[in-house]
Amino acid sequence: MPSPSDLLMIPFDDWVNVLVREWIVPNFRPFFRAMQVPVSSVLAWLDTFFNAVPMLAFTAVLAFIAWRTAGRGVAIFTVIALVFIDMIGLWPETMTTLSMIITSVLFCVVLGIPLGILAARSDKVLAVVRPVLDIMQTIPSFVYLVPIVMLFGVGMAPGIIATIIFALPPIVRLTNLGIRNVRADLIEAAEAFGSTSWQMLKDVQFPLALRTIMAGLNQTLMLALSMVVITSMIGAGGLGLTVYTGLGRLDVGGATAGGVGIVLLAIILDRITQALGENSGFRTVSLRHTLLTFFRRGRPVVTGETRKAN
């Protein structure tokens, strides 16, 4: 059967090679290397801090956070999981992995929430951002590891940058979705009482979208954890390196121990962030309640005084 390729072959791979190797790398490599500085600084500080904190003290603090946010069951699981990780000799690797995850999620929040707000406020921005997010979410992570190594080199910071690219889309999408889903009558009421754009965002849209935004944060966190093993291929450390080394040496026990550590850490962080989203304390309020709030406070601003979800 004839096919279009019999008439014309498009050298797409050659075009990409020319674009990356002969134009982007020679001209922009110093810029990309400079982008590593804030990532490396935050990571170094967190890694030093977490590895300096005694195991028992860290376990007690994280269990207390789990108890206050997710309940007694999650707190007990946190203690058992962290003690198990320490007893199988993976505590330093776990703290390094936690440092990498927190650094990645921190930069995802700093970049993703403002971008989601912009997308929610402008259809033109959303039209530009949406296909980029589609590409970031669907392209295999191994594909963009190659240009990341060429532009940023190897090590922890390039691994975190790859993780940021992989984990950023959910928080952007759900921030956009949460703000766009704020009830129209509340927006109209705030506009009628003369709220500024900043007051509208701060006191109406963001509080009411907080539960959706927290769901995006949870998804970003899980995607960042899923990249731990993959980024170990370009020099990132932690539990991912334990798994990768075990695979390379056919050390089934070592690879399994690293995998179990990642799973336990993922469960702890997932339960805590899910509980934070569910207990964010904001729910949709009635128009009557909002109007009463305006008159009670005597100023044309809708506040975040909303009733807690029961």
Side-chain angles (χ1 to χ4, degrees):
M1 288 289 289
S3 66
S5 62
D6 295 333
L7 300 175
L8 178 64
M9 287 292 292
I10 299 176
F12 183 73
D13 52 345
D14 293 335
W15 294 350
V16 174
N17 283 331
V18 169
L19 175 67
V20 175
R21 292 178 181 173
E22 299 182 12
W23 187 68
I24 294 180
V25 172
N27 293 289
F28 296 98
R29 192 162 189 171
F31 169 74
F32 286 106
R33 289 297 179 94
M35 289 174 60
Q36 295 185 54
V37 175
V39 174
S40 301
S41 301
V42 174
L43 175 65
W45 187 87
L46 286 174
D47 194 29
T48 303
F49 174 75
F50 283 131
N51 280 290
V53 175
M55 179 266 170
L56 293 178
F58 181 86
T59 301
V61 171
L62 192 58
F64 177 76
I65 294 172
W67 173 54
R68 296 297 298 170
T69 55
R72 186 174 56 184
V74 177
I76 294 172
F77 176 82
T78 300
V79 172
I80 295 173
L82 293 180
V83 169
F84 177 76
I85 288 173
D86 183 58
M87 292 177 72
I88 62 176
L90 290 178
W91 186 259
E93 289 81 0
T94 303
M95 292 299 100
T96 299
T97 300
L98 184 62
S99 306
M100 294 170 59
I101 298 303
I102 292 178
T103 303
S104 304
V105 172
L106 176 64
F107 279 94
C108 284
V109 169
V110 170
L111 297 173
I113 290 181
L115 190 57
I117 292 172
L118 286 175
R121 294 197 156 198
S122 169
D123 291 336
K124 293 180 180 177
V125 174
L126 180 62
V128 174
V129 168
R130 180 178 287 170
V132 176
L133 296 178
D134 292 340
I135 294 172
M136 291 168 67
Q137 275 192 299
T138 55
I139 192 169
S141 52
F142 290 101
V143 174
Y144 59 74
L145 284 183
V146 177
I148 281 180
V149 170
M150 295 179 69
L151 294 171
F152 296 97
V154 296
M156 301 276 279
I160 290 175
I161 291 170
T163 304
I164 293 170
I165 295 172
F166 184 73
L168 183 63
I171 196 165
V172 179
R173 289 186 188 277
L174 289 177
T175 300
N176 167 60
L177 179 66
I179 291 177
R180 283 179 181 268
N181 282 345
V182 173
R183 287 172 47 182
D185 54 354
L186 294 178
I187 301 295
E188 291 172 1
E191 290 175 345
F193 280 88
S195 294
T196 64
S197 179
W198 170 246
Q199 288 170 332
M200 179 85 73
L201 173 66
K202 179 174 66 72
D203 296 329
V204 180
Q205 293 175 314
F206 197 83
L208 293 174
L210 187 58
R211 182 171 294 182
T212 307
I213 294 171
M214 289 301 295
L217 178 65
N218 177 266
Q219 292 302 307
T220 292
L221 182 65
M222 293 298 104
L223 287 179
L225 271 164
S226 70
M227 277 292 287
V228 166
V229 177
I230 296 174
T231 56
S232 67
M233 297 176 66
I234 59 173
L239 293 170
L241 184 60
T242 303
V243 175
Y244 184 64
T245 304
L247 290 173
R249 297 176 180 173
L250 295 180
D251 180 5
V252 179
T256 304
V260 169
I262 293 172
V263 170
L264 293 176
L265 190 60
I267 292 174
I268 295 170
L269 296 178
D270 177 63
R271 297 299 182 270
I272 291 175
T273 52
Q274 272 193 8
L276 284 174
E278 292 169 357
N279 300 328
S280 56
F282 294 96
R283 65 178 302 181
T284 301
V285 297
S286 66
L287 179 60
R288 175 179 174 275
H289 177 81
T290 303
L291 295 176
L292 288 177
T293 303
F294 286 138
F295 289 110
R296 188 161 54 245
R297 296 202 168 193
R299 60 191 178 98
V301 178
V302 179
T303 70
E305 182 183 352
T306 54
R307 291 175 297 184
K308 291 186 176 180
N310 294 318

